């Protein structure tokens, strides 16, 4: 507990972003051009002619007087800009970390920046802040030309950066920046009037007419007023947040209008927050400065000092803004932007306010993304990527950190070589992980457990550690899961999800005793530095501790209790039983609606609904009552039930008509009616079972089996029928073989594009590095059906067809066999398919995702097979006769083998394999008949050509 230790760098420095450093050095002489990067570059696979819908990528060119730099590609524009700035700094030999050392410089820079803001030149420039200066000239009397300091501190990026350099505490208490600006202004008495104790400043001498006149001419012509909807957040939690209308017109300064709504005469004492919610928004809080503003509220939450702030502190507004707000506050989306000289404005309704609140909770971004604030929950487990719906945990964690003004989370990934034993008994998972440094004497111990027929393979496994740090680099918490993952991304997602789960529990009950917080953390491999954590979340905790109605995120760790709460609800299920039922680990697709209904049932108000909402059963991805209901349904049935109302915040974040929803909620006779129809069930993936029960995973064992054969065969050409995402072709590239030409055929474009990408990246590396696959001269992927003839498939040394035939109807499987052996005639053909008899072992195994079939009802047809897409699964007998008939019809020999399990023990191998070999034939002549091209080349790579294009 409470280890900050190594993570906190000495002497807490703020890190200034590379862009900020460039800005300080070059100002407007630095220009950034961001461009979208086109498809073929972005999929990393030149020549792949399947259009990719992937996310847009951006690249940035930074032009400086002395050089121009092009960044790599990024998903976000701002990342591309920062990367370009960073590259420029490297080129210029400027080190951002040491650059920030000089606070005195920053103070001087601040003075000159403030002086510049009051210059003639700035008044005429295009800047959100210069619009305020111009607007101040429309103010009357003593207000003429006076600008609220808060505006200067908030709307000028350079000022913010400099203030943060002077004191990093500005991050948590932005009002400090105001004192810095005032202090700077005080050193410019001939230029600026700053009156002691006042929060506005004004130019000492009026702007000359030749500066002002052209500006008056181009004044926006909209003399009429506009009504902007905003919200008033009263300081007292007993008063509701309520709509207010701002009547703004071009002849008055909009901040004065806001000030009047807050009971002030004018904007002199108005403070403006940073943007709230999404970073790009113009939604901000406006409030009246308080004397308390300029004191750093104590970090000691348990101490007494905090009391003086209570009373007048506006907890809701402080929570949203992440800074102390006292008295009433206005939430409005209005202001000057870079885009136009006109005032930008948008209406803000109650729903947006409640969505902002939800967005700040650890599960909020997930719920909002799924557009299901009431029914969806952040799952407590991340099983496999393809079962996850909505934003991934890592992204949610990053959003959470940004929302709470923390540093970006730090992910540290370690890679471990693994001595994995091929587990031929197939019923247990056995993995031995050894860190590379202590890689001695371990293997024997394992071999002893295992009998004689295992092979030792080395694979990499990953572990991820996540750190959450404050902006000042204090370590708040650290999650170090002990689990290993086969994929790097899985370990990152899992660790992120653990952090989010813990934060979720914390957010549900800020009163939770320390021991409970710590024991929850222990269970999730998390260590919390409570002192720093409490300090960072002070606004959250004051908000929730003071508030009666807390936001219920509903996904606390100790699940079962939560489920029980809902068990007394009467569940009505309608429609005929179809026998297709969801089990743990399967994906359920539902259509649902949730309506507020009054006890008497006369009124009904739709709050939330979805036509197609898919989630993984057993991962708590929905409210417990939704999952309980769905678990009892079969496809096609509908369920109806009532539950108690969730928190008002959740309802208002979902409801379109807040006023109506509120009046129903307040009627006190109201519940929530759910209506759910189960549309579809997708069984747990075969893939998942193969990974969980076999080590190495069965799919890897199959590929390795084929690779062994290919290596020994001396073959120079290979075609993989039904290559899917290219798992075999890709593995082949890891070994030196005699192969010169490799080909894959499949009819899934999605899989083929994945295959193209991995092959492309490996093969292009082979050009400059001494890679094992350097013998390969050409690689081609075809979109085509392997039961259709194409003359380009003829005459290969080896054909492979792993786990494909069971995806076709049985007659098509025979057709494929005949076509390959009679027309394509490879010297060797390797075919693998599941052994149906082995399924009993898989079903008996205690794989968490496999639940026992519900009593009485037999399992549905689709559950009997390992994958819902399988059209059949054959016994050894069935496969044997298929293969022997084929072989004899086409003059091939055939032998049988397999992977997972063993030939000598019932029920044989988990995956059965037939190895066909072409028999010498006297009259064999390879027909070079006419060329028939029915497959489409979707990607092609050739060693020769690529080398040329590099020249
Ligand atoms: N051989 C791969 C993929 C197996 S999954 C591996 O071992 O990883 C089965 C694949 O067969 C899918 O990619 C599917 O698209 C493909 N497939 C099914 N019927 C096909 C057909 N008639 N022609 C070509 N590919 C087919
Ligand atoms: Mg299959």
């Amino acid at each position: 507990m409470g280890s900050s230790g190594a993570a906190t760098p000495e002497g807490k420095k703020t890190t200034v972003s590379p862009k900020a450093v460039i800005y300080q050095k070059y100002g407007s002489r630095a220009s950034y051009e961001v461009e979208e990067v086109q498809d073929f570059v972005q999929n990393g696979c030149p020549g792949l002619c399947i259009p990719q819908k992937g996310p847009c990528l951006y690249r940035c060119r930074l032009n400086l007087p002395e050089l121009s730099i092009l960044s790599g590609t990024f998903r976000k524009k701002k990342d591309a800009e920062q990367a370009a700035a960073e590259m420029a700094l490297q080129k210029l030999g400027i080190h951002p970390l040491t650059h920030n050392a000089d606070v005195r410089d920053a103070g001087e820079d601040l003075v000159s920046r403030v002086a510049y803001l009051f210059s003639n030149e700035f008044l005429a420039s295009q800047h959100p802040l210069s619009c305020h200066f111009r607007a101040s000239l429309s103010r009357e009397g003593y207000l003429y030309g006076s600008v609220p300091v808060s505006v200067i501190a908030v709307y000028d990026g350079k000022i913010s950066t400099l203030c943060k350099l002077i004191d990093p505490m500005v991050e948590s208490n932005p009002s400090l920046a105001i004192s810095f600006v005032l202090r700077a202004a005080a050193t410019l008495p001939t230029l600026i009037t700053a009156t002691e104790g006042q929060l506005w400043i004004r130019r000492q001498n009026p702007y000359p007419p030749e500066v002002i006149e052209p500006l008056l001419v181009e004044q926006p012509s909209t003399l009429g007023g506009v009504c902007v909807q905003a919200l008033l957040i009263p300081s007292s939690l007993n008063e509701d947040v309520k709509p207010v209308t701002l009547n703004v017109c071009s002849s008055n300064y909009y901040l004065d209008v806001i000030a009047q709504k807050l009971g002030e005469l004018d904007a002199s004492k108005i403070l403006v927050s940073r943007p709230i919610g999404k970073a790009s928004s113009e939604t901000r809080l406006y409030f009246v400065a308080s004397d308390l503003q300029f004191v750093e509220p104590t970090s000691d939450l348990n101490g007494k000092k905090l009391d003086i702030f209570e009373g007048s502190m506006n907890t809701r507004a402080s929570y949203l803004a992440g800074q102390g707000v006292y008295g009433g506050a206005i939430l409005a989306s209005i202001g000057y932007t870079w885009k136009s000289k006109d005032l930008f404005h948008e209406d803000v309704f109650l729903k947006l306010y409640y969505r902002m609140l939800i967005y700040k909770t650890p599960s909020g971004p997930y719920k909002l993304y799924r557009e299901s604030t009431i029914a969806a929950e952040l799952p407590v487990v991340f099983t496999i990527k393809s079962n996850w719906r909505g934003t991934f945990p890592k992204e949610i964690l990053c959003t959470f950190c940004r929302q709470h003004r923390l540093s970006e989370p730090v992910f540290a990934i370690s890679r471990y070589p693994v001595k994995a034993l091929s587990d031929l008994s197939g019923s247990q998972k056995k993995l031995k992980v050894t860190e590379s440094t202590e890689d001695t004497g371990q293997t024997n111990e394992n071999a002893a457990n295992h009998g004689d027929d295992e092979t030792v393979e080395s694979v990499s496994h990953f572990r991820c550690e996540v750190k959450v740090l404050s902006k000042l680099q204090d370590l708040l918490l650290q999650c170090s899961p002990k689990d290993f993952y086969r994929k790097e991304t899985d370990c990152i997602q899992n660790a992120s999800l653990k952090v989010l789960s813990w934060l979720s529990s914390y957010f549900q009950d800020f009163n939770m005793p320390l021991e409970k917080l710590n024991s929850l953390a222990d269970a999730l491999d998390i260590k919390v530095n409570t002192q720093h954590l409490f300090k960072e979340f002070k606004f959250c905790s004051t908000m929730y501790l003071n508030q009666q109605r807390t936001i219920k995120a509903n996904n606390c760790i100790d699940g079962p209790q939560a489920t029980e709460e809902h068990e007394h609800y009467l569940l009505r299920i309608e429609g005929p039983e179809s026998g297709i039922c969801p089990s743990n680990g399967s994906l359920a697709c539902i259509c649902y609606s949730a309506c507020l209904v009054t006890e008497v049932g006369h009124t009904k108000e739709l709050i939330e609904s979805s036509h197609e909402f898919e989630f993984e059963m057993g991962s708590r991805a929905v409210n417990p009552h939704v999952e309980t209901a769905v678990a009892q349904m079969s496809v096609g049935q509908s369920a109806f039930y009532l539950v108690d109302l969730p928190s008002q915040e959740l309802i208002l974040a979902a409801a379109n008509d807040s006023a109506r929803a509120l009046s129903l909620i307040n009627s006190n006779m109201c519940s929530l009616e759910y209506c759910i129809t189960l549309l579809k069930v997708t069984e747990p993936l075969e893939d998942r079972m193969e990974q969980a029960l076999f080590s190495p995973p069965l799919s890897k064992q199959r590929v390795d089996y084929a690779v062994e054969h290919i290596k020994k065969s001396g073959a120079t050409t290979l075609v993989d029928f039904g290559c899917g995402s290219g798992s075999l072709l890709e593995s082949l590239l890891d070994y030196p073989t005699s192969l010169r030409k490799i080909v894959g055929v499949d009819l899934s474009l999605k899989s083929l594009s994945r295959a193209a990408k991995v092959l492309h990246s490996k093969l292009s590396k082979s050009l400059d590095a001494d890679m094992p696959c350097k013998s390969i001269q050409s690689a081609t992927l075809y979109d085509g059906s392997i039961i259709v003839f194409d003359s380009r498939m003829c005459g290969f040394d080896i054909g492979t067809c792993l786990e494909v035939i069971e995806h076709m109807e049985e007659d098509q499987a025979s057709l494929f066999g005949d076509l390959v052996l009679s027309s394509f005639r490879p010297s060797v053909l390797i075919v693998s398919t599941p052994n149906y008899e082995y399924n009993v072992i898989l079903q008996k195994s205690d794989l968490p995702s496999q639940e026992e079939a519900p009593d009485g009802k037999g399992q549905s047809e689709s559950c009997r097979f390992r994958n819902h897409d399988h059209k059949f699964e054959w016994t050894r007998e069935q496969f044997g006769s298929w293969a022997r008939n084929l072989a004899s019809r086409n003059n091939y020999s055939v032998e049988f083998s397999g992977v997972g399990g063993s030939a000598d023990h019932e029920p044989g191998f988990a995956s059965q394999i037939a190895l066909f070999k072409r028999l010498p034939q006297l009259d064999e002549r390879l027909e070079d008949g006419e060329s028939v091209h029915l497959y489409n080349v979707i990607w092609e790579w050739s060693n020769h050509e690529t080398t040329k294009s590099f020249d």
Side-chain angles (χ1 to χ4, degrees):
M1 167 58 24
S3 79
S4 66
T8 314
E10 281 170 62
K12 293 175 191 170
K13 281 182 200 147
T14 32
T15 39
V16 180
S17 73
K19 243 185 108 175
V21 178
I22 292 284
Y23 185 75
Q24 283 166 33
K25 198 167 150 58
Y26 294 95
S28 58
R29 287 179 301 145
S31 74
Y32 295 83
E33 293 161 24
V34 179
E35 60 177 29
E36 270 184 33
V37 183
Q38 278 318 296
D39 276 339
F40 292 135
V41 187
Q42 75 172 258
N43 68 27
C45 188
L48 170 60
C49 50
I50 301 170
Q52 298 292 299
K53 272 207 256 114
C56 277
L57 293 183
Y58 298 98
R59 185 157 64 192
C60 174
R61 176 171 296 282
L62 167 57
N63 297 307
L64 298 175
E66 60 263 59
L67 82 162
S68 163
I69 290 262
L70 187 63
S71 77
T73 54
F74 293 85
R75 274 166 175 245
K76 293 190 183 138
K77 287 181 186 171
K78 66 168 198 242
D79 292 343
E81 291 176 353
Q82 293 292 4
E86 192 167 351
M87 287 160 76
L89 291 177
Q90 268 169 16
K91 276 242 156 98
L92 297 163
I94 300 172
H95 303 289
L97 277 176
T98 54
H99 188 85
N100 62 17
D102 218 338
V103 173
R104 220 188 58 213
D105 273 1
E108 284 166 12
D109 289 352
L110 185 65
V111 171
S112 52
R113 181 66 183 173
V114 171
Y116 169 71
L117 295 179
F118 284 86
S119 66
N120 296 342
E121 185 193 348
F122 183 71
L123 188 72
S125 71
Q126 171 77 17
H127 191 293
L129 186 53
S130 66
C131 296
H132 284 267
F133 279 74
R134 288 193 292 271
S136 76
L137 301 177
S138 67
R139 302 177 88 191
E140 280 163 10
Y142 72 99
L143 291 173
Y144 177 83
S146 72
V147 181
V149 194
S150 170
V151 161
I152 297 175
V154 160
Y155 286 101
D156 184 47
K158 176 142 192 186
I159 297 253
S160 320
T161 308
L162 291 170
C163 289
K164 278 180 212 160
L165 282 181
I166 294 170
D167 185 352
M169 287 312 291
V170 167
E171 191 62 55
S172 57
N173 184 7
S175 308
L176 287 176
I178 291 176
S179 8
F180 297 150
V181 173
L182 282 174
R183 217 188 288 158
T187 65
L188 299 161
T190 53
L191 182 63
I192 300 168
T193 309
T195 319
E196 176 100 52
Q198 296 294 335
L199 292 179
W200 52 267
I201 44 183
R202 174 164 59 204
R203 214 168 111 118
Q204 183 74 272
N205 303 310
Y207 291 99
E210 65 271 23
V211 174
I212 293 191
E213 267 151 27
L215 296 175
L216 291 176
V217 176
E218 60 177 66
Q219 280 258 317
S221 56
T222 43
L223 274 172
V226 280
C227 289
V228 183
Q229 295 303 319
L231 296 173
L232 175 69
I233 305 176
S235 172
S236 158
L237 286 166
N238 297 325
E239 290 176 53
D240 284 328
V241 174
K242 47 181 172 280
V244 287
T245 306
L246 308 174
N247 292 305
V248 192
C249 61
S250 53
S251 60
N252 56 15
Y253 182 32
Y254 77 93
L255 278 179
D256 286 332
V257 176
I258 290 178
Q260 280 145 25
K261 290 285 171 198
L262 288 167
E264 291 285 303
L265 282 176
D266 60 69
S268 304
K269 286 170 73 185
I270 293 299
L271 301 188
V272 184
S273 77
R274 294 172 284 220
I276 296 174
K278 305 246 160 73
S280 58
S281 84
E282 258 311 308
T283 312
R284 297 172 189 261
L285 278 163
Y286 300 84
F287 48 99
V288 181
S290 141
D291 295 342
L292 300 168
Q293 215 83 51
F294 304 100
V295 191
E296 164 60 12
T298 170
S299 52
D300 179 10
L301 249 196
N302 305 318
K304 289 183 197 109
K305 279 198 236 153
L306 193 78
D307 297 349
I308 59 158
F309 292 98
E310 273 166 7
S312 67
M313 186 184 230
N314 186 328
T315 38
R316 286 175 292 201
S318 302
Y319 174 62
L320 276 183
Q323 72 181 95
V325 174
Y326 303 89
I330 297 254
L331 180 70
S333 193
I334 187 166
Y336 298 108
T337 63
W338 286 100
K339 289 177 205 129
S340 142
K341 286 192 175 178
D342 291 336
L343 188 64
F344 162 89
H345 56 84
E346 238 169 33
D347 292 335
V348 172
F349 297 109
L350 266 182
K351 182 170 175 174
L352 178 70
Y353 166 77
Y354 284 103
R355 287 171 81 89
M356 283 176 161
L357 286 187
I358 305 278
Y359 195 55
K360 291 199 83 161
T361 64
S363 59
Y366 180 82
K367 286 163 156 279
L368 292 173
Y369 183 92
R370 299 218 61 192
E371 289 181 61
S372 174
T373 52
I374 296 188
E377 295 297 345
L378 181 68
V380 293
V381 287
F382 182 92
T383 53
I384 50 170
K385 213 173 153 190
S386 59
N387 278 12
W388 187 269
R389 295 289 175 276
T391 319
F392 284 111
K394 178 187 173 190
E395 194 50 45
I396 301 172
L397 182 60
C398 292
T399 303
F400 177 85
C401 290
R402 257 168 254 150
Q403 280 293 301
H404 291 273
R405 310 203 68 82
L406 308 172
S407 289
E408 290 287 299
V410 179
F411 300 91
I413 292 141
S414 24
R415 177 185 211 148
Y416 295 83
V418 171
K419 294 283 170 210
L421 296 158
S422 131
D423 180 359
L424 296 176
S425 77
S427 55
Q428 274 175 309
K429 181 172 183 168
K430 285 188 180 122
L431 269 183
K432 179 73 192 183
V433 180
T434 24
E435 298 197 19
S436 47
T437 45
E438 22 178 281
D439 193 3
T440 46
Q442 302 283 324
T443 354
N444 283 345
E445 188 193 298
N446 292 312
N449 297 334
H450 246 327
D452 38 3
D453 41 9
E454 68 272 3
T455 53
V456 178
E457 285 295 333
S458 83
V459 207
S460 277
H461 279 220
F462 299 94
R463 222 179 205 181
C464 176
E465 189 177 83
V466 188
K467 284 180 186 157
V468 176
L469 306 152
S470 72
K471 267 270 164 21
L472 301 179
Q473 304 301 311
D474 290 320
L475 183 67
L476 307 186
L477 63 86
Q478 172 168 0
C479 175
S480 320
K482 297 174 198 79
D483 324 291
F484 291 91
Y485 291 89
R486 296 179 57 248
K487 293 197 183 119
E488 208 171 313
T489 124
D490 287 355
C491 77
I492 297 174
Q493 304 302 354
N494 269 290
S496 303
L497 186 55
K498 285 185 175 209
V499 174
L500 288 168
S501 296
W502 186 85
L503 286 168
S504 241
S505 316
Y506 175 54
F507 265 64
Q508 269 170 75
D509 184 5
F510 283 101
N511 261 332
M512 201 187 289
L514 207 59
E515 308 94 81
K516 177 121 189 264
L517 273 182
N518 285 333
S519 74
L520 283 177
D522 277 348
L524 291 162
D525 304 312
I526 291 174
K527 284 206 159 81
V528 189
N529 190 332
T530 38
Q531 195 197 339
H532 287 146
L533 186 97
F534 291 162
K535 182 178 154 198
E536 277 313 307
F537 289 113
K538 65 183 174 221
F539 292 122
C540 311
S541 50
T542 26
M543 162 118 176
Y544 291 111
L545 290 176
N546 287 328
Q547 202 175 18
Q548 301 309 310
R549 323 170 291 230
T550 59
I551 295 181
K552 268 235 172 66
N554 273 338
N555 64 339
C556 49
I557 311 286
D558 34 15
Q561 291 150 359
T563 325
E564 273 157 28
E565 276 174 30
H566 295 280
E567 242 149 43
H568 59 275
Y569 294 108
L570 262 188
L571 175 66
R572 194 172 91 239
I573 294 183
E574 287 180 359
E577 179 110 21
S578 65
I580 306 170
C581 309
S583 58
N584 272 355
S586 57
L587 293 173
C589 182
I590 61 171
C591 151
Y592 78 91
S593 65
C595 296
L596 288 177
V597 291
T598 53
E599 216 89 310
V600 252
H602 292 319
T603 10
K604 224 178 190 184
E605 173 79 7
L606 179 67
I607 297 297
E608 183 175 287
S609 65
S610 168
H611 291 301
E612 226 183 58
F613 183 89
E614 201 173 32
F615 65 96
E616 183 177 359
M617 293 290 286
S619 69
R620 311 209 54 227
V622 283
N623 259 323
H625 53 75
V626 174
E627 187 156 330
T628 309
V630 172
Q632 299 171 51
M633 299 162 72
S634 66
V635 170
Q637 289 184 316
S638 298
F640 306 87
Y641 60 93
L642 293 174
V643 287
D644 284 344
L645 292 189
S647 75
Q648 181 168 316
E649 279 79 5
L650 281 178
I651 296 177
L652 293 174
N656 281 319
D657 187 342
S658 319
R660 210 172 128 70
L662 263 172
S663 85
L664 283 172
I665 294 171
N666 291 334
S667 73
N668 275 339
M669 302 281 280
C670 196
S671 14
L672 199 61
E673 183 191 73
Y674 272 88
C675 166
I676 303 173
T677 303
L678 180 56
L679 302 173
K680 202 177 87 182
V681 170
T682 310
E683 283 309 312
L685 288 173
E686 175 186 19
D687 198 59
R688 202 159 132 195
M689 167 208 76
E690 294 198 351
Q691 291 191 13
L693 301 179
F694 296 90
S695 180
L698 203 55
S699 50
K700 182 167 184 349
Q701 295 190 37
R702 268 192 303 267
V703 164
D704 290 352
Y705 175 92
V707 169
E708 268 325 296
H709 259 274
I710 294 159
K711 281 201 285 197
K712 277 190 269 172
S713 69
T716 60
T717 56
L718 172 133
V719 51
D720 190 18
F721 297 108
C723 61
S725 314
S727 55
L728 173 63
L729 297 175
E730 187 204 355
S731 300
L732 275 174
L733 302 183
D734 292 334
Y735 302 94
T737 61
S738 44
L739 288 173
R740 298 175 64 78
K741 170 180 168 183
I742 58 174
V743 167
V745 192
D746 205 293
L747 39 66
S748 154
L749 290 182
K750 214 166 141 190
S751 305
L752 284 169
S753 15
R754 257 182 264 144
K757 284 174 207 170
V758 285
L759 293 180
H760 172 82
S761 85
K762 275 207 174 167
L763 284 166
S764 28
K765 275 183 211 139
S766 79
L767 292 176
D768 26 59
D770 200 16
M771 300 281 282
C773 58
K774 62 181 188 298
S775 69
I776 307 251
Q777 297 298 310
S778 86
T780 312
L781 292 174
Y782 292 99
D783 166 23
S785 172
I786 54 175
I787 51 173
V788 170
F789 178 78
D790 186 298
S791 56
R792 289 167 293 185
M793 299 301 111
C794 295
F796 279 78
D797 294 340
I798 288 201
T800 49
C801 182
L802 304 185
E803 306 291 294
V804 176
I805 56 171
E806 73 277 7
H807 292 262
M808 315 184 219
E809 298 300 338
E810 288 189 60
D811 54 351
Q812 297 188 330
S814 299
L815 202 61
F816 161 71
D818 276 320
L819 177 68
V820 177
L821 297 191
S822 72
S823 303
F824 301 155
R825 291 194 73 72
S827 312
V828 171
L829 175 70
I830 302 172
V831 179
S832 86
T833 193
N835 169 12
Y836 180 72
E837 292 156 276
Y838 199 87
N839 290 4
V840 285
I841 294 191
L842 301 179
Q843 269 145 24
K844 263 191 264 156
S845 69
D846 51 0
L847 187 66
S849 66
Q850 301 228 322
E851 276 206 337
E852 282 171 34
D855 279 351
K857 294 275 151 204
Q859 272 181 305
S860 69
E861 192 63 19
S862 62
C863 300
R864 282 189 10 242
F865 295 146
R866 298 181 193 179
N867 178 322
H868 68 280
D869 191 46
H870 286 179
K871 305 296 185 306
F872 62 83
E873 281 178 11
W874 280 338
T875 60
R876 283 167 288 177
E877 167 68 43
Q878 287 170 307
F879 183 55
S881 81
W882 174 81
R884 274 186 287 267
N885 284 335
L886 266 184
S888 71
R889 274 204 297 275
N890 296 294
N891 201 30
Y892 276 71
S893 71
V894 62
E895 304 159 33
F896 295 94
S897 144
V899 291
S902 101
D904 304 326
H905 295 96
E906 284 304 308
F909 291 110
S911 254
Q912 40 187 346
I913 297 176
L915 183 67
F916 298 90
K917 289 184 179 152
R918 198 175 67 211
L919 295 173
Q921 208 175 356
L922 285 179
D923 58 347
E924 172 100 63
R925 50 182 184 93
L926 286 173
E927 300 169 47
D928 46 8
E930 84 232 73
S931 65
V932 178
H933 291 188
L934 291 175
Y935 299 174
N936 293 321
V937 175
I938 65 111
W939 173 78
E940 216 168 2
W941 182 90
S942 126
N943 193 349
H944 177 63
E945 265 172 36
T946 319
T947 317
K948 242 180 22 193
S949 74
F950 266 35
D951 290 343

